[in-house]
Amino acid sequence: MALDQDTYDQLIDTITRFVTERLRPLEGQVAETDEIPDDLIEEMKELGLFGLSIPEEFGGLGLNMTEEIGIAIAMGHTSPAMRSTFGTNIGIGSQGLVMAGTDEQKAKWLPKIASGEIITSFALTEPSAGSDAASVKTKADYDEAKGVYRLNGSKRYITNADKADLFTVMARTGGEGARGVTAFLVPRDLPGLSVGQPERKMGQQGAHVCDVNFDDVEVPAENRLGAEGEGFKVAMRVLDRGRLHISGVCVGAAERLIEDMVGYAGEREQFGKPLSDFQMIQAQIADSKAECMAARALVEQTAKKRDAGENITMDCAATKLIASEMVGRVADRAVQVYGGAGYIADYGVERFYRDVRLFRIYEGTSEIQRSIIAREVMKAGG
């Protein structure tokens, strides 16, 4: 482990209390205002949450994947928007830099990312390039005389874009397909870069997504991340890791929903006895618990394989598919157990029902995960 066991146990205990005592009481407020309070963000920075996965030499905690999954599960017990506040800093917004950055790039950016002074964002999706990520149309033309790449194009549904100071941008420097895509580190303050208004969404209020537009943005050549044509490879490595993290959040959300179901079923009476005495209610809870336990075991197993240096492309796809589909079923059962109350905003179950729906879409839809699994299985079979 990156941390000794006692230190890690203390960290988990601290974050669990933070979730219970500080975050959960504010879930309704965040959903209503669509904003995370500034004081909460500062507390997250003080806890080191913005640097969980950043190497210690750059000011982060340097957690391995198994340790990070434990944090993700703990954070899953509150509104997903809370975790999203620092999620891009420790995931898709920083890991391309950690994996493929030069020593100079890392020294320049990672310490400020780890402290939360810089918020990062990952700009891959476009109006015509979602699941088909290799078809990005944003162009990056090299101006040899000035030593810059000129970026032109638009990105869509970019998480934390309205707060981001640094974007990891995938743009086309070559021909069609994956081999023509290159990654760039693009500061927000470069002339020609603009960010649209946050989109109105079904759920996860407090976590914003926006369009990002590039109009002749001059990006210094030293801000290229890796070699030309390696951007798609970088993106896929980042997404493998991100899918595993999100799977941990799904498990945590399911555990929270099961706790809520059990609590409500024990208190609510019908026909003179608590709901928990009815076998069909017990079946809803039992199925949810069994599926959640199975997903958690798969998440933890895959994290250990990643820490051991194994190829986990198929494992990450399978883990995200299982975990994200599982939490959707658990949320649906929770609404059913609550009955009419589950459809009313006061109880929060309907909010989670909407919040967890996104897990089956971002960082690769369930359909994309199935395609990856099938491809890897057939490849292994010759």
Side-chain angles (χ1 to χ4, degrees), residues 2-3 11 47-49 51-56 59-63 67 114:
L3 298 180
L11 178 62
L47 286 170
L49 294 177
L52 293 176
S53 59
I54 307 296
E56 290 183 84
L61 295 183
L63 301 188
E67 293 168 334

Side-chain angles (χ1 to χ4, degrees), residues 61-361:
L61 295 183
L63 301 188
N64 63 28
M65 201 69 229
T66 300
E67 293 168 334
E68 186 181 325
I69 287 299
I71 305 295
I73 292 174
M75 287 299 303
H77 282 247
T78 186
S79 166
M82 304 292 195
R83 181 214 60 92
S84 188
T85 302
F86 59 85
T88 49
N89 269 43
I90 63 170
I92 55 178
S94 70
Q95 291 306 297
L97 179 54
V98 171
M99 295 173 183
T102 64
D103 291 342
E104 292 77 12
Q105 288 171 339
K106 293 177 181 179
K108 180 178 181 179
W109 299 111
L110 286 179
K112 293 181 179 180
I113 294 172
S115 69
E117 181 181 344
I118 285 178
I119 302 300
T120 60
S121 204
F122 183 75
L124 172 61
T125 301
E126 298 181 357
S128 60
S131 293
D132 184 11
S135 67
V136 296
K137 290 182 170 55
T138 296
K139 288 279 290 179
D141 297 311
Y142 186 55
D143 183 335
E144 188 171 356
K146 297 185 71 173
V148 300
Y149 287 86
R150 297 182 186 278
L151 264 64
N152 286 281
S154 296
K155 298 294 182 177
R156 176 154 290 178
Y157 308 141
I158 306 305
T159 302
N160 285 343
D162 58 327
K163 296 178 173 63
D165 306 289
L166 181 68
F167 296 89
T168 300
V169 180
M170 300 297 155
R172 189 161 300 284
T173 54
E176 295 183 0
R179 294 181 180 178
V181 178
T182 301
F184 297 91
L185 297 168
V186 184
R188 183 197 187 95
D189 59 4
L190 290 182
L193 189 157
S194 61
V195 177
Q197 291 297 309
E199 301 280 359
R200 296 179 62 190
K201 311 190 309 300
M202 175 191 290
Q204 296 206 18
Q205 274 67 43
H208 298 164
V209 298
C210 312
D211 285 357
V212 183
N213 304 302
F214 306 93
D215 183 10
D216 257 0
V217 178
E218 295 186 356
V219 181
E222 59 264 27
N223 282 28
R224 190 183 68 214
L225 193 56
E228 281 197 9
E230 290 185 349
F232 187 79
K233 185 187 300 183
V234 170
M236 293 305 103
R237 289 178 65 199
V238 168
L239 287 172
D240 273 353
R241 191 184 182 288
R243 287 163 181 163
L244 188 49
H245 179 98
I246 290 298
S247 298
V249 179
C250 290
V251 169
E255 290 178 349
R256 157 72 184 274
L257 286 162
I258 293 167
E259 292 168 8
D260 289 350
M261 266 194 280
V262 170
Y264 185 80
E267 295 173 0
R268 172 70 166 164
E269 289 194 359
Q270 289 288 279
F271 305 102
K273 56 184 178 180
L275 289 179
S276 56
D277 282 0
F278 293 92
Q279 286 188 338
M280 283 188 283
I281 297 297
Q282 293 172 3
Q284 302 270 34
I285 294 170
D287 287 347
S288 297
K289 183 64 175 179
E291 290 183 29
C292 182
M293 290 173 65
R296 180 166 186 152
L298 182 57
V299 171
E300 292 174 344
Q301 171 186 293
T302 304
K304 288 177 182 177
K305 291 178 73 172
R306 186 184 190 281
D307 288 337
E310 298 182 35
N311 183 339
I312 57 165
T313 294
M314 182 178 71
D315 302 73
C316 286
T319 301
K320 183 175 184 289
L321 174 65
I322 293 297
S324 63
E325 294 283 341
M326 174 277 296
V327 74
R329 290 191 295 271
V330 172
D332 188 72
R333 293 185 192 116
V335 171
Q336 197 69 16
V337 168
Y338 273 69
Y343 204 70
I344 303 300
D346 289 352
Y347 288 86
V349 173
E350 63 83 31
R351 185 182 65 246
F352 261 86
Y353 181 85
R354 290 181 287 108
D355 286 347
V356 302
R357 184 60 182 86
L358 184 59
F359 291 141
R360 285 180 269 170
I361 298 173

Side-chain angles (χ1 to χ4, degrees), residues 28 87 371:
S371 295

